[in-house]
Amino acid sequence: MPGPLGVLAVRLADSVPALVFGLHGGLVADRSDRRRVMVLADVTRGTGLLFIGPLFAAFAPRTVFLAAAISLPLVGVAAIAAARARVPA
């Protein structure tokens, strides 16, 4: 998907998980220790980033970028909700 359609696909893959799972991430952040949620989400995102290089070498770049654009924000929704919470834990 070269050109504008590729950019649109990656942008939608980045935005849709936050829209769909935003409430669930907030629920997890409210019901759990916020610091623990942020640490676990950051470790999970970091581990996912470690695998992007080998996946990029093994598969088509388009597939890897779309998978990363979907999975990394999905994990980060809870961390963002925990970081932006106004109530002290």
Side-chain angles (χ1 to χ4, degrees):
M1 267 185 268
L5 289 178
V7 173
L8 177 67
V10 171
R11 191 66 199 137
L12 282 175
D14 181 45
S15 301
V16 170
L19 292 173
V20 174
F21 294 103
L23 291 174
H24 302 293
L27 179 71
V28 169
D30 287 340
R31 304 278 173 151
S32 305
D33 181 27
R34 290 183 180 93
R35 281 174 262 148
R36 186 173 185 188
V37 169
M38 288 190 297
V39 168
L40 286 175
D42 286 341
V43 167
T44 304
R45 283 189 286 184
T47 305
L49 287 173
L50 287 175
F51 290 110
I52 287 179
L55 287 174
F56 184 78
F59 297 105
R62 188 176 341 161
T63 307
V64 175
F65 288 138
L66 284 176
I70 292 171
S71 62
L72 294 176
L74 184 65
V75 174
V77 168
I80 292 170
R84 292 183 179 172
R86 300 284 184 221
V87 180

